[in-house]
Amino acid sequence: MRRVTWLVALAAAVALALPSGGRATAMQVARPVPDFNNDGFGDLAVGLPGEDVGRQVDAGAIIVLEGRPNGMRSNRRVIDQDDPGVVGPAEAGDRFGAALAAGRFNRDGYWDLAVGAPGEDVGRIGGAGAVIILFGSKAGLTGAGAKVLKQPNPERGDAFGFSLAVGEISGPAGAELAVGAPGETVRGKASAGAVLVISRPGIAPAFDVLYQGKLPRRGAPAAHALPGIAETGDLFGWDVAANDFLPAEGRDSLAIGAPGENVGAAIDAGVVVVRYATRATTVLRQPHPERGDRFGTALGDGYLTRSDGTVDLAVGAPGETVGEARRAGAVSVFQTDASGFLARGSRGFWQGAAGVPGMPEADDRFGFAVAVGGYGRDVGGLAVGVPGEDLGTAAAAGIVNVLYGLGGVRTQQLTQRNAGGAVEAGDRFGAALSRPFTYDQDLRQDLGVGAPGETVRGKAGAGAASVLFGGASGGLGA
């Protein structure tokens, strides 16, 4: 089935840990984050969902790039589900590391890491999915005491753990985890999708389930009845974001991507469903939805115009046709005020548009990944992954475009050369972007970039991750 194939294809991308998630005030940190060993330097976790563990193909693993006084480097440890303490064992197709999110889940002062394994079998239920929480310690992330989270009602192919976000969704009671299960069957509709919000995930997990439409059981709270109708292939929960879109409410709202949603006659045009902290809801769409846009594939949230104190949402539509260029891709930005999203005031960006470098070409997939952070000196930046971009004769080498002040202040076009690497065909640089994180005491925000197609020592598709540091005068790649 085409949708199932597409689901697996995107899961193959390198995953990079979200550094904080949740409330926008988390950006105003007093020290680098996330910090798994509490040494005063920020760390970055990198997923290897295609890693083979012994004979178990695509079992998955993670590595950690640790912040040090002279930069970042791997601790040379690979954590997989066969490690002591990690809930396992490693099995073929688990894809442990396909999604990552950092947060403080057990309140011991160390940052912890939630790791999605959307291909995990639960008993005899194939591909139901799971999330494993690895706890931080003085020695960094460890498998000791790891906690596994599974759906209360797992089903074949749910892909629970495909996407992750952290926030204070029920209020300031600690980090909660939003987990996407885009393969969830709802009322007989395969891959309609669901999102589970887990309170106290590292201590005593409690689950809250969200679907489009009413829950498929009697007595479900009305707050769970989100807009829309569950349909085959909606992929609700493909990506999730949690942030303080309604500042006066004191807790976070949820944005949920459903890139397989049909809009009228436009198949797979895609939507984003927002459940505000007040439990009010809205549906975001493109002004001109078209077949195959896949709007909602990627979500990025944070300050773009930092002076006004509001949080914005960037939504990737990597299947967007621009002119005659199919799947050139586009990104929509929804700005907020005290009343919530200004959906009608969204702005669209694509290569070749005013203030955006480059030209739209078929299969560029601009918006395959997005991230919003304080990359500029005085304004926020929108980082957009364009993994299908050709550079000279290097097909699908990939780039990252960064737009500052919504494209009206400054732009950057970054390649692997900016990260000390080489531009090569098939690298797909920009296929994954981390949330902004802070490496050292200068508190300038930095960005992790995945290139899952990178060839390493002759091994095609081995993958690589780069760190682009924020510069003193603003911008990335210092």
Side-chain angles (χ1 to χ4, degrees):
M1 236 176 102
R2 179 167 56 89
R3 285 194 179 94
V4 174
T5 302
W6 194 71
L7 178 68
V8 173
L10 184 54
V14 175
L16 299 162
L18 309 184
S20 59
R23 299 171 59 76
T25 51
M27 293 180 64
Q28 321 216 336
V29 292
R31 57 178 299 150
V33 295
D35 187 356
F36 300 125
N37 56 6
N38 209 18
D39 66 353
F41 291 94
D43 307 314
L44 182 68
V46 182
L48 295 80
E51 176 80 5
D52 298 344
V53 179
R55 295 183 178 180
Q56 304 302 316
V57 177
D58 295 342
I62 69 163
I63 63 171
V64 177
L65 305 180
E66 293 184 337
R68 305 288 177 86
N70 58 346
M72 301 188 75
R73 65 182 182 184
S74 169
N75 60 11
R76 295 189 174 275
R77 290 183 57 233
V78 177
I79 301 176
D80 58 51
Q81 286 185 276
D82 277 351
D83 277 23
V86 180
V87 180
E91 299 167 314
D94 283 348
R95 304 196 67 78
F96 177 80
L100 306 171
R104 293 179 174 177
F105 298 127
N106 62 355
R107 306 175 188 175
D108 65 355
Y110 291 96
W111 284 81
D112 311 308
L113 185 71
V115 184
E120 177 83 16
D121 297 343
V122 177
R124 296 184 178 181
I125 305 172
V131 174
I132 293 87
I133 295 182
L134 305 177
F135 294 105
S137 68
K138 187 175 181 179
L141 285 179
T142 173
K147 194 173 188 66
V148 62
L149 304 174
K150 300 175 183 177
Q151 291 189 91
N153 183 33
E155 299 169 314
R156 180 174 297 276
D158 282 347
F160 175 76
F162 185 84
S163 61
L164 298 169
V166 178
E168 293 176 355
I169 299 161
S170 301
E176 294 172 285
L177 195 60
V179 184
E184 175 82 16
T185 297
V186 181
R187 292 188 294 277
K189 305 298 184 181
S191 297
V195 170
L196 287 84
V197 178
I198 307 175
S199 302
R200 305 182 302 277
I203 303 173
F207 293 78
D208 190 17
V209 187
L210 305 176
Y211 299 82
Q212 285 184 286
K214 295 180 180 179
L215 284 179
R217 66 175 188 270
R218 294 181 181 178
H224 294 172
L226 300 186
I229 300 172
E231 299 170 308
T232 300
D234 282 347
L235 300 174
F236 179 80
W238 183 271
D239 201 5
V240 288
N243 216 319
D244 195 7
F245 298 123
L246 289 173
E249 296 304 317
R251 58 186 189 270
D252 290 326
S253 304
L254 272 180
I256 303 168
E261 176 86 10
N262 300 338
V263 180
I267 298 172
D268 297 339
V271 302
V272 174
V273 178
V274 181
R275 188 183 77 161
Y276 294 107
T278 59
R279 298 299 193 263
T281 58
T282 190
V283 178
L284 306 180
R285 300 181 177 90
Q286 290 180 294
H288 305 287
E290 299 168 313
R291 183 187 184 103
D293 284 346
R294 299 285 185 180
F295 176 81
T297 293
L299 305 177
D301 55 287
Y303 294 107
L304 274 172
T305 307
R306 298 166 71 185
S307 60
D308 67 6
T310 60
V311 181
D312 306 311
L313 180 70
V315 182
E320 176 80 15
T321 295
V322 181
E324 299 298 322
R326 300 184 63 184
R327 296 174 298 279
V331 172
S332 297
V333 174
F334 297 85
Q335 294 181 273
T336 66
D337 62 13
S339 66
F341 282 106
L342 302 178
R344 294 182 180 179
S346 65
R347 292 186 57 186
F349 298 90
W350 55 90
Q351 293 191 101
V356 184
M359 292 299 296
E361 299 167 313
D363 295 311
D364 279 348
R365 296 192 179 275
F366 180 88
F368 192 84
V370 293
V372 176
Y375 310 126
R377 185 175 178 86
D378 300 310
V379 296
L382 168 63
V384 182
V386 195
E389 178 79 12
D390 300 341
L391 293 174
T393 59
I399 61 172
V400 174
N401 278 332
V402 189
L403 314 179
Y404 297 93
L406 288 181
V409 177
R410 176 187 174 191
T411 63
Q412 283 185 291
Q413 190 173 85
L414 304 168
T415 72
Q416 281 192 285
R417 291 193 186 96
N418 298 98
V423 171
E424 299 165 315
D427 284 347
R428 298 183 64 236
F429 182 77
L433 301 176
S434 77
R435 283 183 60 93
F437 73 104
T438 49
Y439 148 68
D440 61 10
Q441 299 295 335
D442 67 16
L443 299 184
R444 290 190 292 270
Q445 293 200 304
D446 311 308
L447 180 69
V449 183
E454 176 82 13
T455 297
V456 182
R457 292 190 292 277
K459 304 296 184 182
S466 303
V467 179
L468 300 175
F469 294 108
S473 59
L476 289 167

